Amino acid sequence: MKFKPAIKPYTGAAGGWGSLEATTRYVLDSKQALKNIRNLLRVNKSKGFDCPGCAWGDDNSSTFSFCENGAKAVSWEATRKSVDEAFFAQNSVTRLYAQSDYFLEYQGRLTQPLRYNPETDHYEVVSWQQAFALIARHLKALDNPDQLELYTSGRASNEASYLYQLFGRMFGTNNFPDCSNMCHEASGTGLKQSIGIGKGTIRLNDFEQADAILVFGQNPGTNHPRMLHSLRHAADRGCRIVTFNTLRERGLERFADPQNPLELLTPKSGRISSRYLQPNLGGDMAAVRGIVKALLETHRQRLSQGEQGLFDDQFIATHTNGIDDYLAAVDATSWQQIVDQSGLLEQQLREVADIYRQAERVICTWAMGITQHKHSVSTVREITNLQLLFGQLGKPGSGLCPVRGHSNVQGNRTMGIDEKPSQAMLDRLARHYGFNPPREAGHSTVQALEAMLRGEVKVLLALGGNLAAAAPDTWRTEQALRCCALTVHISTKLNRSHLITGREALILPTLGRTERDTQASGNQYVTVEDSFSMVHASEGVNPPISTEQRSETAIVAGIASAVLGNDKLDWQQLAGDYSLIRDHIAATVPGFTDFNQRCEQPGGFYLGNAAAELRFATASGKAEFCHAALPEVLFPQVGDEAAPFTLQTLRSHDQYNTTIYGLDDRYRGVYGQREVVFVHPEDLAALGLADGDKVDIETLWNDGVTRRVSGFKAISYDIPRGNLAAYYPETNPLVPLSSYGDETHTPTSKSVPVKLVPSLAVEDNRIM
Ligand SMILES: Nc1nc2c(c(=O)[nH]1)N[C@H]1C(S)=C(S)[C@@H](COP(=O)(O)OP(=O)(O)OC[C@H]3O[C@@H](n4cnc5c(=O)[nH]c(N)nc54)[C@H](O)[C@@H]3O)O[C@H]1N2
Ligand SMILES: Nc1nc2c(c(=O)[nH]1)N[C@H]1C(S)=C(S)[C@@H](COP(=O)(O)OP(=O)(O)OC[C@H]3O[C@@H](n4cnc5c(=O)[nH]c(N)nc54)[C@H](O)[C@@H]3O)O[C@H]1N2
Ligand SMILES: [Mo]
């Protein structure tokens, strides 16, 4: 029997030729090659549109500032293909439901408003007026405003999301579930508790001054490729980069700059990480605790020898609160606990402690590997504790950097897409518009789905995104959506959520960010905020594919005026001239004074960050150390069975969240397939499995529900024993709706207790 290796290891550096070739292929594949290239050159410049790819910042210095995955996002939107009336006449919803996510989006852009006809099981074209009237009829019939959920995905502009939250609050609800609830919620929650603001404290150019950068739980090579430039430049000038990642990720090891022609001509590529540690899933809090424990030991030794300690005592005394309790918690944590939970050696953590203390300026960055666990808030706060001990806030080259996902997810929150708005924000809205906004907290995403299952929600409005595929526990999520009387999706492309309808359903086709947006007063630009609190304008350039498509802002205004009328606020006038919306934002959102004028600044303007200036909006007015203990166990035991494996669900190189561009994951050596699970070779052997065998993955959870996905190819991979990885959204059926983060309700997408069961299809992968 000949054995076919399950994957082809990628031997190059991340970036480099491979990346440029792939980019060019995407650009040339879509039918308008030249136009696409021109578009790419405009991405993130002061004129043109903001890259819809990710929320990384831009320094405006490079003339070729884009990345492979940004190119994919732009080309994906810029297709001339469309799904028209005939397509929906031919394909029933049941038939489309049987298709893959890839197939659905690949059909092209949505161009006309569509209404689901339950009699025929088909979507049918309706007018905008009919669509708005249907929404108004449903909303006016609600018993109370909290029977409405307003979901938002983080691509929506500041202008659209501001109007959306205003409409929801004027209607009477704070039910604003959003993608952020499934994403960086723990960063916002943890940072707010620790430093009084739920955002990162650094600016892009801080990467040029850092002496050490700690990168926790993120895969920038795929998800924030432009971050690799910052890391690479830092590494080249001697900054030490320490990576904590459960998997060996190519982009974090080596990177060749595809925008540097010299590097493309030589096989040279820069080393990124000086240390690469592979903790257990959920082991980062223990890892950071270990680093602090080692540093505390040295600190005390020095003090006992009459030398100066390591910590920044003056910073701690002036700016922080709770150090004693925190150090007591560190003392109470044993090395044994730290080593067991992190899966790292004491020696490894001591080495990182040495790197840390030798650095004058340190940045800590993180993403989903930190935020999608049960104890994510404590982990974010533990990282913050470390930085506070050394006064790594409020000075150049240092600070905290949660690396956001969707390109405007941070802006959405700033605009008030928040199910737990501050009373101050509500007060400002109340004063400016003269109404009484609801004061009680609304639903996050998981809470919204739970409320739907209980029959408490009647209408779902979704401003973008793909809730059915992005949310956990797929079958329960689908059941929840089907409980609604009306589901409405404002979308660019067909996706799974459109096929899981309420009793009635609408799809409202919208313009993408790359497209020209012409309203009564002429062409409009919108604004977005990146991970570094930079706000800048974004103006679409492509002609829309259909005259029927409307901008998100116009659609929200259309819904609002149909439901609330235009007496109190002239929604249609606002939609006709976005600068009027910006005037309202300037009057109600801190930091946006003279908003319209400041949009003229090339590269945008900085919103400011109080914590970065050492002003902490906490109850004590100081930064708060958190003295949480490490979690005792990471999972509840189910009956007698402890879960043998922890599964993380993550992104491949060829996807944007639930949008699947292709079936390859180049840097991990996976081609032409997505139903794979990465396993340590010894775990495979212990299960009596060979590389490439098929397995079923089954969740161990204490609610008696069977959650299983079948026929996944087990791939031998560099991952710690007991840990697994597989792609999202294929594995979302495994994540229980009731498994979420403390204080956040964020699904624990990076720690799902599972077992592997040999699949009956085991012979399929072998070449006989
Ligand atoms: N091309 C592209 N770009 C994107 C996206 C996309 O889908 N495609 N999505 C956007 C969005 S919304 C987001 S939120 C970001 C997501 O960006 P990432 O957070 O990079 O996304 P994931 O693929 O979920 O990768 C998680 C990474 O953390 C590691 N990891 C997982 N669990 C742990 C852990 O417990 N500890 C440690 N130390 N490491 C762990 C995984 O091995 C993996 O490398 O990217 C944004 N940018
Ligand atoms: N298991 C698991 N689940 C996860 C995650 C995970 O790591 N593991 N990650 C979570 C994270 S971090 C996030 S952010 C969420 C993402 O959740 P969402 O934001 O809901 O999902 P997306 O896949 O980004 O949404 C894609 C859809 O958005 C629409 N769209 C694209 N561009 C536009 C636009 O410009 N305007 C409008 N109106 N619509 C547009 C298209 O129709 C497309 O089908 O998923 C979460 N779910
Ligand atoms: Mo995200």
Side-chain angles (χ1 to χ4, degrees):
M1 191 191 295
K2 207 165 83 197
F3 188 71
K4 184 173 76 164
I7 53 173
K8 262 190 280 175
Y10 184 79
T11 49
W17 278 119
S19 160
L20 210 60
E21 268 171 27
T23 306
T24 325
R25 201 175 53 214
Y26 268 94
V27 170
L28 296 178
D29 266 0
S30 77
K31 301 218 168 75
Q32 328 161 268
L34 268 179
K35 207 169 103 207
N36 277 336
I37 290 172
R38 214 175 53 222
N39 281 345
L40 291 176
L41 295 177
R42 286 197 173 113
V43 170
N44 291 4
K45 304 273 84 185
S46 54
K47 287 272 179 246
F49 54 82
D50 179 65
C51 181
C54 73
W56 192 250
D58 193 76
D59 64 3
N60 268 344
S61 66
S62 157
T63 48
F64 219 58
S65 199
F66 75 97
C67 73
E68 175 192 350
N69 281 343
K72 288 181 198 166
V74 169
S75 320
W76 195 249
E77 188 167 291
T79 176
R80 300 310 289 178
K81 280 174 72 173
S82 67
V83 271
D84 54 11
E85 199 166 0
F87 174 87
F88 288 103
Q90 273 159 20
N91 294 286
S92 69
V93 166
T94 307
R95 188 163 155 187
L96 290 172
Y97 181 79
Q99 297 287 358
S100 68
D101 293 323
Y102 175 75
F103 173 91
L104 295 176
E105 286 214 25
Y106 192 71
Q107 301 314 305
R109 293 289 297 273
L110 294 156
T111 54
Q112 290 157 302
L114 298 159
R115 177 181 179 173
Y116 178 61
N117 181 343
E119 305 281 306
T120 61
D121 190 36
H122 283 258
Y123 271 104
E124 295 166 358
V125 172
V126 287
S127 70
W128 280 100
Q129 209 185 357
Q130 286 168 316
F132 292 146
L134 181 70
I135 298 171
R137 182 148 47 77
H138 274 270
L139 292 193
K140 287 177 182 171
L142 295 184
D143 304 328
N144 71 69
D146 289 330
Q147 290 179 330
L148 167 66
E149 301 285 349
L150 299 109
Y151 179 72
T152 313
S153 167
R155 221 179 248 193
S157 66
N158 287 337
E159 288 73 5
S161 47
Y162 180 82
L163 272 201
Y164 192 61
Q165 63 83 33
L166 185 61
F167 160 65
R169 298 203 160 102
M170 284 190 167
F171 183 72
T173 185
N174 280 320
N175 283 345
F176 290 102
D178 67 353
C179 67
S180 192
N181 296 146
M182 300 185 273
C183 182
H184 263 293
E185 192 68 51
S187 304
T189 306
L191 289 174
K192 217 178 270 171
Q193 293 171 3
S194 287
I195 61 170
I197 182 170
K199 300 182 183 184
T201 64
I202 68 164
R203 302 185 64 176
L204 187 54
N205 57 15
D206 284 314
F207 280 89
E208 289 161 25
Q209 298 181 55
D211 304 309
I213 302 170
L214 273 48
V215 178
F216 292 95
Q218 68 169 125
N219 181 23
T222 287
N223 297 315
H224 304 93
R226 286 178 297 131
M227 178 177 176
L228 289 188
H229 295 266
S230 304
L231 292 178
R232 171 68 201 276
H233 290 149
D236 281 354
R237 60 167 180 77
C239 171
R240 315 282 290 276
I241 295 171
V242 181
T243 293
F244 294 83
N245 197 306
T246 305
L247 294 180
R248 280 261 154 200
E249 301 284 24
R250 201 66 201 148
L252 286 163
E253 294 185 301
R254 304 193 77 74
F255 175 61
D257 188 348
Q259 301 188 23
N260 178 345
L262 260 187
E263 279 197 1
L264 292 177
L265 300 175
T266 62
K268 175 178 157 240
S269 66
R271 189 167 91 152
I272 300 251
S273 303
S274 20
R275 286 280 188 294
Y276 200 115
L277 281 71
Q278 292 178 268
N280 282 327
L281 291 166
D284 301 83
M285 181 179 178
V288 177
R289 180 79 36 115
I291 296 167
V292 173
K293 199 169 174 72
L295 291 165
L296 178 59
E297 206 179 281
T298 317
H299 177 74
R300 284 180 178 147
Q301 260 164 18
R302 292 224 183 152
L303 291 180
S304 69
Q305 288 159 5
E307 295 169 22
Q308 204 186 339
L310 287 183
F311 299 161
D312 187 336
D313 293 327
Q314 196 179 346
F315 181 94
I316 293 170
T318 320
H319 298 295
T320 72
N321 196 24
I323 174 96
D324 294 340
D325 288 342
Y326 175 54
L327 295 185
V330 175
D331 286 330
T333 315
S334 68
W335 273 111
Q336 194 58 48
Q337 256 178 306
I338 289 167
V339 168
D340 286 349
Q341 202 160 98
S342 68
L344 299 171
L345 303 174
E346 182 178 333
Q347 185 52 32
Q348 289 177 300
L349 295 171
R350 287 189 182 279
E351 282 168 17
V352 179
D354 287 341
I355 292 177
Y356 190 100
R357 73 182 163 84
Q358 285 157 15
E360 184 74 20
R361 300 155 194 273
V362 184
I363 292 173
C364 292
T365 81
W366 68 89
M368 296 303 100
I370 292 301
T371 61
Q372 294 178 332
H373 296 285
K374 182 163 190 300
H375 58 298
S376 290
V377 170
S378 305
T379 307
V380 167
R381 297 197 66 189
E382 188 72 13
I383 294 171
T384 311
N385 287 342
L386 168 64
Q387 292 286 71
L388 291 177
L389 286 173
F390 288 80
Q392 295 287 0
L393 281 186
K395 62 180 182 189
S398 74
L400 297 159
C401 179
V403 183
R404 302 278 165 183
H406 265 300
S407 51
N408 195 38
V409 64
Q410 185 156 323
N412 290 176
R413 272 292 155 95
T414 307
M415 291 299 118
I417 301 295
D418 189 346
E419 77 281 6
K420 291 179 282 197
S422 72
Q423 296 301 316
M425 172 78 182
L426 296 177
D427 288 343
R428 283 189 296 268
L429 293 178
R431 227 175 300 127
H432 184 72
Y433 296 102
F435 77 115
N436 284 324
R439 296 283 168 171
E440 244 104 89
H443 292 149
S444 66
T445 299
V446 165
Q447 291 168 315
L449 293 167
E450 286 170 342
M452 286 176 196
L453 286 168
R454 289 194 302 267
E456 292 167 13
V457 171
K458 297 266 184 319
V459 181
L460 166 73
L461 290 187
L463 180 55
N466 186 1
L467 181 58
D473 228 347
T474 309
W475 312 130
R476 299 215 77 199
T477 288
E478 294 192 358
Q479 205 187 335
L481 297 177
R482 291 191 201 283
C483 291
C484 294
L486 175 70
T487 48
V488 183
H489 294 277
I490 301 169
S491 311
T492 51
K493 288 198 169 181
L494 186 63
N495 68 38
R496 179 85 27 213
S497 300
H498 305 137
L499 309 175
I500 324 284
T501 65
R503 281 189 293 290
E504 298 199 77
L506 288 167
I507 305 175
L508 305 177
T510 191
L511 297 174
R513 193 178 287 172
T514 56
E515 281 140 358
R516 192 183 304 139
D517 177 0
T518 313
Q519 302 294 341
S521 69
N523 286 352
Q524 307 293 315
Y525 65 85
V526 292
T527 57
V528 294
E529 178 184 339
D530 68 24
S531 281
F532 305 100
S533 305
M534 290 295 298
V535 177
H536 58 100
S538 170
E539 188 172 350
V541 288
N542 282 341
I545 182 174
S546 150
T547 51
E548 277 286 282
Q549 290 167 327
R550 292 196 182 176
S551 75
E552 293 179 336
T553 311
I555 297 171
V556 172
I559 295 173
S561 72
V563 177
L564 301 175
N566 290 296
D567 295 346
K568 207 166 184 74
L569 192 64
D570 190 340
W571 302 92
Q572 298 299 356
Q573 191 191 22
L574 295 179
D577 180 356
Y578 298 175
S579 71
L580 301 175
I581 304 176
R582 285 187 288 273
D583 285 340
H584 282 290
I585 294 173
T588 49
V589 184
F592 285 84
T593 317
D594 296 329
F595 191 8
N596 278 305
Q597 291 86 311
R598 283 155 87 201
C599 288
E600 301 294 320
Q601 277 168 237
F605 64 92
Y606 177 51
L607 264 186
N609 182 304
E613 293 161 17
L614 303 180
R615 287 180 287 113
F616 300 103
T618 56
S620 63
K622 295 188 173 192
E624 295 284 341
F625 279 101
C626 166
H627 58 268
L630 297 186
E632 271 186 23
V633 283
L634 291 180
F635 304 118
Q637 175 124 342
V638 180
D640 300 334
E641 216 172 358
F645 290 103
T646 308
L647 169 77
Q648 66 154 318
T649 59
L650 81 180
R651 292 154 176 79
S652 81
H653 195 65
D654 268 1
Q655 75 183 85
Y656 194 90
N657 296 338
T658 67
T659 297
I660 312 300
Y661 300 123
L663 301 177
D664 297 347
D665 191 7
R666 194 169 76 245
Y667 297 152
R668 299 195 186 108
V670 176
Y671 294 92
Q673 54 190 339
R674 288 184 52 87
E675 295 193 345
V676 299
V677 54
F678 300 105
V679 194
H680 190 283
E682 287 170 26
D683 282 333
L684 273 185
L687 290 167
L689 293 169
D691 192 17
D693 279 352
K694 289 212 169 163
V695 291
D696 293 356
I697 315 173
E698 191 174 312
T699 306
L700 287 167
W701 199 243
N702 46 15
D703 59 2
V705 176
T706 303
R707 294 179 181 84
R708 178 195 274 248
V709 295
S710 300
F712 276 53
K713 194 188 270 186
I715 287 180
S716 167
Y717 208 79
D718 191 348
I719 185 171
R721 287 201 70 176
N723 293 254
L724 303 174
Y727 300 129
Y728 134 73
E730 285 81 352
T731 47
N732 283 43
L734 296 173
V735 187
L737 195 58
S738 56
S739 175
Y740 47 69
D742 298 332
E743 301 177 68
T744 59
H745 282 89
T746 300
T748 58
S749 302
K750 296 293 185 275
S751 48
V752 189
V754 298
K755 62 180 176 184
L756 290 183
V757 192
S759 180
L760 291 177
V762 76
E763 289 299 312
D764 283 356
N765 292 312
R766 295 185 179 198
I767 305 166
M768 303 307 236

